[in-house]
Amino acid sequence: MTQITTRRFLQTAGLLCAGVLLAACGKKEAAAPAASAPAPAASVAAAPPPAKVFVVGTDAAYAPFESQNEKGEIVGMTIDMLSAVASKAGVEIKFVNTPWEGIFNSLQQGDRDILASSITITDERKQTMDFTNPYFDAYQLIAVKANSKVAKFDDLKKLKVGVQTGTTGDEVVTKQQGKNSTNIKRFESTPLALKELEAGGVDAVVADNGVVINYVTNNPGAKFKTVSDRAFAPEQYGFAVKKGNAELLEKLNKGLADIKADGSYDKIYAKYFGAAPAAAAPAASK
């Protein structure tokens, strides 16, 4: 009896120990998932979306407003103006050289967000795009050779005149001579038209005052003179955005007002024309 009792006692004790061990193992396995559980998704901070970069179309063949330097960088008064406006407006921009002939379509198609290319604000253009408040007052100017007898716009009626395609210079000469006139010679840029004048292919060029003066100043060997005429209506440049983009337009107008208020506008203007707008002679427009 003693042996049996002892055996049973040992068997019972063994079963109890096994039960305790199993229970202990069960607790450890149950606790493991809680210890390794990932932090709730709500506690992970989401990365902010990247800031939008607005693509600016500019025809960089129009010094001193917009052109390319020897490094291929786009520079000029218009570039400096919009850069200052964007900084005040808190928007990031990137300039992309865009041929004038396709520049308005690039805005309509959404390939460009802003146009900054010495663009004259006209009623016709306002039908398809929105403009900021004006950033430059402008008018047209005639370039002829120094020995030319041209003294006013009317003198061009029967002469060969060079213009840049699609500009307001093109418009005023077409209105004067007629849309079917063979005396109007159209070029991709104003400098090309002025080169043709130098070569004798045209008798005069009608284009922006600022661009003409810049060319004449930097090419004294061409022996040009300029002729102004009060018949040319005053014009104004504006930055253009897609029709209906009121949010971007408001930001740009606010930035433009800010750089005029703090003196930045006058400094940029004087950098290219030697004086603040009130003292400097106005330039012409596209």
Side-chain angles (χ1 to χ4, degrees):
M1 286 295 292
T2 302
Q3 291 179 349
I4 294 172
T5 302
T6 301
R7 186 181 297 127
R8 286 182 178 175
F9 172 80
L10 292 173
Q11 289 175 345
T12 301
L15 290 172
L16 288 172
C17 288
V20 170
L21 288 172
L22 287 172
C25 291
K27 287 179 181 178
K28 186 177 289 186
E29 290 173 359
S36 61
S43 65
V44 179
K52 176 175 174 58
V53 178
F54 293 93
V55 181
V56 182
T58 186
D59 177 23
Y62 220 70
F65 297 100
E66 49 272 343
S67 62
Q68 287 184 295
N69 62 19
E70 62 279 359
K71 297 180 181 180
E73 299 166 331
I74 300 177
V75 297
M77 195 205 77
T78 299
I79 308 307
D80 288 354
M81 282 288 186
L82 183 58
S83 296
V85 167
S87 178
K88 289 288 188 181
V91 299
E92 189 174 350
I93 58 175
K94 177 179 72 173
F95 292 96
V96 177
N97 196 2
T98 308
W100 178 256
E101 290 186 2
I103 200 166
F104 297 118
N105 188 56
S106 72
L107 182 68
Q108 300 303 321
Q109 296 298 320
D111 297 323
R112 304 290 183 268
D113 302 299
I114 306 169
L115 299 183
S117 196
S118 302
I119 302 171
T120 299
I121 302 170
T122 67
D123 290 338
E124 181 180 359
R125 288 171 178 169
K126 285 196 292 187
Q127 292 178 13
T128 57
M129 64 194 80
D130 288 332
F131 284 96
T132 62
N133 295 326
Y135 71 91
F136 197 87
D137 293 328
Y139 63 86
Q140 296 294 300
L141 187 67
I142 303 166
V144 292
K145 289 191 174 181
N147 60 357
S148 173
K149 294 182 179 180
V150 170
K152 56 185 182 301
F153 183 49
D154 280 349
D155 294 339
L156 303 183
K157 286 182 178 179
K158 296 182 180 180
L159 300 181
K160 292 182 178 179
V161 182
V163 297
Q164 181 176 346
T165 302
T167 62
T168 48
D170 185 356
E171 291 175 10
V172 296
V173 175
T174 299
K175 185 176 181 179
Q176 181 196 63
Q177 296 195 9
K179 62 180 181 180
N180 296 319
S181 173
T182 57
N183 279 338
I184 303 174
K185 306 299 180 183
R186 295 179 173 86
F187 299 86
E188 292 182 2
S189 71
T190 296
L192 286 177
L194 291 164
K195 284 288 186 183
E196 186 70 4
L197 175 62
E198 188 174 354
V202 293
D203 301 304
V205 170
V206 176
D208 296 20
N209 183 341
V211 177
V212 170
I213 291 175
N214 182 75
Y215 188 93
V216 171
T217 301
N218 291 290
N219 296 274
K223 297 181 179 179
F224 290 161
K225 69 177 181 180
T226 60
V227 178
S228 59
D229 193 320
R230 293 184 180 276
F232 293 128
E235 303 170 7
Q236 294 178 311
Y237 294 167
F239 302 120
V241 301
K242 194 168 185 179
K243 193 74 175 174
N245 193 344
E247 181 180 357
L248 179 56
L249 190 67
E250 182 180 355
K251 288 181 179 180
L252 296 180
N253 276 330
K254 177 65 166 55
L256 182 57
D258 287 345
I259 68 168
K260 287 185 175 182
D262 70 6
S264 301
Y265 177 93
D266 286 352
K267 289 180 180 178
I268 294 171
Y269 194 107
K271 174 183 174 181
Y272 292 93
F273 296 101
S285 60
K286 270 184 185 174

